[in-house]
């Protein structure tokens, strides 16, 4: 896959990244989500500098990711168990 350079702005700082074409949209969406959450935290909490806001944003998004993974794993196990039940019924 071929990579190309894009520029995204996160918390007022520009970052030049090399991404594959298929990933560009998600990278840009991620930058927007990060900036929105940084702005939200800036409006609701006292902070010394943007690093505090970025740390809070990273913590929140990582926590959400871990919760989603847990839910996905739980759902996968449930589906697997149901498929085993169906297979058993069909085998009889």
């Amino acid at each position: 896959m071929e990579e190309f350079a894009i520029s995204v702005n996160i918390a007022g700082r520009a970052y030049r990244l090399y991404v594959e074409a298929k990933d560009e949209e998600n990278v840009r969406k991620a930058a927007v989500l990060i900036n929105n959450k940084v702005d939200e935290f800036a409006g609701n909490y006292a902070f010394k500098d943007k690093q505090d806001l970025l740390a809070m944003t990273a913590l929140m998004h990582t926590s959400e990711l871990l919760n989603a993974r847990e839910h996905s794993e739980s759902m996968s196990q449930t589906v697997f168990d149901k498929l085993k039940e169906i297979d058993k019924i069909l085998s009889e």
Side-chain angles (χ1 to χ4, degrees), residues 75-92:
M75 291 299 294
S76 293
Q77 186 61 48
T78 300
V79 169
F80 180 74
D81 292 343
K82 292 292 183 189
L83 287 173
K84 280 176 50 177
E85 287 178 31
I86 292 169
D87 184 54
K88 182 179 176 183
I89 291 169
L90 291 175
S91 295
E92 293 175 356

Side-chain angles (χ1 to χ4, degrees), residues 55-66:
M56 291 167 54
T57 300
L59 179 62
M60 191 222 53
H61 282 296
T62 303
S63 176
E64 287 178 355
L65 173 65
L66 291 172

Side-chain angles (χ1 to χ4, degrees), residues 8 10 14 16 22-23 38 45 49 51 71 74 85 90-91:
V8 294
I10 299 174
R16 187 170 172 85
K22 67 179 181 61
D23 296 329
V38 165
Y45 300 101
D49 58 29
Q51 182 176 341
H71 179 71
S74 172
E85 287 178 31
L90 291 175
S91 295

